[in-house]
């Protein structure tokens, strides 16, 4: 009888098939080109300040994008975005496009950059997420942002980052309010890290089974009870669908205000709302930021 590696999986290849997201679409290169093109458009056509350092290392930066229309000088609501890339790929620059529809709505967008594996550990990446958000919140006024109107959003392992921000002890560790954001969206997130040590990505990620437990948000979904939207694409793998379902259920059990949506998308086009300006996530943002 084969040994079970994780849940009902008995081989690393089975797990890889679920978590190798690039292999889930036949035209991954086209998506990359699409992201790059739309992100270049955002940087060239939106008012922005790039590469603001929130930490001491070269990788710890924020790109800030401002509303596209001339507006008065009052402070604006904001979205703080954490990108994906399996903790080992992409920078903030491939994700500038997230700001396009938000700018049209009068929302400031902060896109976080962080160091990648194997240069740093996943635990260090989580620390950088917290440092980045702390910097953004503490410097909100100078950045043109209303610190009482910030939403956090993340995609893929950025969804994991959102979950980690939601479980942060902001009061005792950062001298900030317990919930320094008003709502959150976790998109196609990785909320159970325990299968990752069995994947072919792990020689780069270097996650041990013990680390995986400490990094798994479904086991610690008991903090930061703000309105939360969990979205995933119907064309994603069964494990990604299961992960979002389990995270939403864990948060609901901890009495969060949680809503879930399965969108007719895959792992790579699920964020198209942020270019076109319409959809479940945009509606959630408009509602909670009172746009």
């Amino acid at each position: 009888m084969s040994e079970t590696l994780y849940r009902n999986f008995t081989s690393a290849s089975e797990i890889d098939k679920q978590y190798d997201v690039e292999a889930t679409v036949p035209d991954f290169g086209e998506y990359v080109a699409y992201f790059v093109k739309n992100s270049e458009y955002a940087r060239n056509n939106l008012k922005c300040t790039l590469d603001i350092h929130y930490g001491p290392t070269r990788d710890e930066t924020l790109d800030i994008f401002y509303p596209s229309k001339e507006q008065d000088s009052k402070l604006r609501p904001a979205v703080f975005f954490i990108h994906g890339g399996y903790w080992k790929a992409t920078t903030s620059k491939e994700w500038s496009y997230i700001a396009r529809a938000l700018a049209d709505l009068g929302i400031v967008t902060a896109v976080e950059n962080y160091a990648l594996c194997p240069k740093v550990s996943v635990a260090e990446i989580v620390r950088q997420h917290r440092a980045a958000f702390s910097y953004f919140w503490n410097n909100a006024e100078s950045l043109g942002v209303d610190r009482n109107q910030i939403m956090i959003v993340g995609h893929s392992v950025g969804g994991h980052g959102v979950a980690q921000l939601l479980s942060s002890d902001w009061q005792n560790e950062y001298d900030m309010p317990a919930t320094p954001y008003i709502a959150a969206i976790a998109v196609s997130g990785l909320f159970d890290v325990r299968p990752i040590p069995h994947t072919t990505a792990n020689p780069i990620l270097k996650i041990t089974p013990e680390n995986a437990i400490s990094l798994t948000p479904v086991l610690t979904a008991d903090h930061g009870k703000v309105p939360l939207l969990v979205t995933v694409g119907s064309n994603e793998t069964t494990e990604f669908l299961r992960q979002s379902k389990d995270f939403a259920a864990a948060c609901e059990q901890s009495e969060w205000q949680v809503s879930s949506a399965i969108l007719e998308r895959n792992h790579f086009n699920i964020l198209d709302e942020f270019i076109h300006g319409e959809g479940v996530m945009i509606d959630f943002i408009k509602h909670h930021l009172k746009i």
Side-chain angles (χ1 to χ4, degrees):
M1 183 176 180
S2 300
E3 179 185 0
T4 299
L5 297 179
Y6 168 77
R7 292 173 64 85
N8 60 333
F9 296 106
T10 58
S11 72
S13 62
E14 289 178 312
I15 298 175
D16 254 339
K17 187 175 181 180
Q18 292 292 318
Y19 289 97
D20 183 359
V21 291
E22 293 179 14
T24 64
V25 293
D27 48 0
F28 176 68
E30 292 182 17
Y31 285 107
V32 173
Y34 181 73
F35 298 156
V36 169
K37 176 183 176 181
N38 280 283
S39 290
E40 286 179 346
Y41 179 92
R43 292 195 300 277
N44 291 333
N45 290 276
L46 299 178
K47 179 183 177 183
C48 58
T49 303
L50 306 178
D51 302 316
I52 300 171
H53 281 275
Y54 64 80
T57 70
R58 188 174 184 177
D59 295 316
E60 295 174 81
T61 61
L62 292 173
D63 293 341
I64 311 293
F65 295 85
Y66 293 94
S68 53
K69 298 177 182 178
E70 290 294 329
Q71 306 202 33
D72 57 43
S73 60
K74 76 175 184 178
L75 300 178
R76 296 291 166 186
V79 164
F80 180 90
F81 180 78
I82 306 175
H83 73 75
Y86 219 153
W87 296 303
K88 62 184 178 66
T90 77
T91 70
S92 59
K93 299 302 182 287
E94 288 79 58
W95 303 86
S96 305
Y97 75 88
I98 294 299
R100 291 189 56 178
L102 298 178
D104 289 340
L105 293 171
I107 297 170
V108 176
T109 305
V111 182
E112 180 202 345
N113 196 71
Y114 51 89
L116 301 173
C117 300
K119 183 177 179 179
V120 300
S121 67
V122 174
E124 167 58 15
I125 291 172
V126 171
R127 187 206 64 78
Q128 289 184 20
H129 294 332
R130 290 169 174 155
F133 183 80
S134 175
Y135 176 93
F136 185 64
W137 187 89
N138 280 293
N139 292 278
E141 186 171 345
S142 66
L143 296 171
V145 169
D146 179 354
R147 65 167 48 90
N148 297 311
Q149 290 286 307
I150 300 174
M151 183 179 297
I152 54 176
V153 180
H155 171 254
S156 196
V157 296
H160 176 270
V162 164
Q164 296 287 16
L165 290 188
L166 292 172
S167 65
S168 300
D169 188 351
W170 297 109
Q171 281 184 307
N172 292 317
E173 294 187 11
Y174 292 87
D175 196 25
M176 291 164 57
T179 51
Y181 27 67
I182 62 169
I185 306 176
V187 188
S188 301
L190 187 66
F191 308 110
D192 185 348
V193 183
R194 291 173 290 182
I196 304 305
H198 303 291
T199 67
T200 54
N202 204 50
I204 294 175
L205 303 179
K206 301 184 186 303
I207 300 173
T208 67
E210 294 74 23
N211 294 151
I213 292 171
S214 66
L215 290 167
T216 290
V218 292
L219 302 177
T220 58
D222 58 354
H223 302 290
K225 298 177 176 63
V226 295
L228 169 67
L229 172 62
V230 180
T231 64
V232 66
S234 60
N235 294 324
E236 302 200 49
T237 67
T238 55
E239 271 293 281
F240 269 88
L241 286 159
R242 193 271 309 168
Q243 289 238 6
S244 286
K245 179 181 178 182
D246 285 0
F247 181 61
C251 293
E252 288 174 346
Q253 190 172 4
S254 295
E255 300 180 348
W256 289 35
Q257 181 184 331
V258 182
S259 53
S260 301
I262 299 176
L263 309 179
E264 293 184 10
R265 296 286 179 176
N266 62 43
H267 194 79
F268 299 103
N269 61 16
I270 195 168
L271 294 174
D272 280 3
E273 291 184 25
F274 290 85
I275 295 175
H276 304 307
E278 294 181 339
V280 171
M281 293 179 283
I282 293 296
D283 288 345
F284 184 86
I285 290 169
K286 289 166 66 176
H287 174 74
H288 289 285
L289 293 183
K290 299 178 174 60
I291 302 301

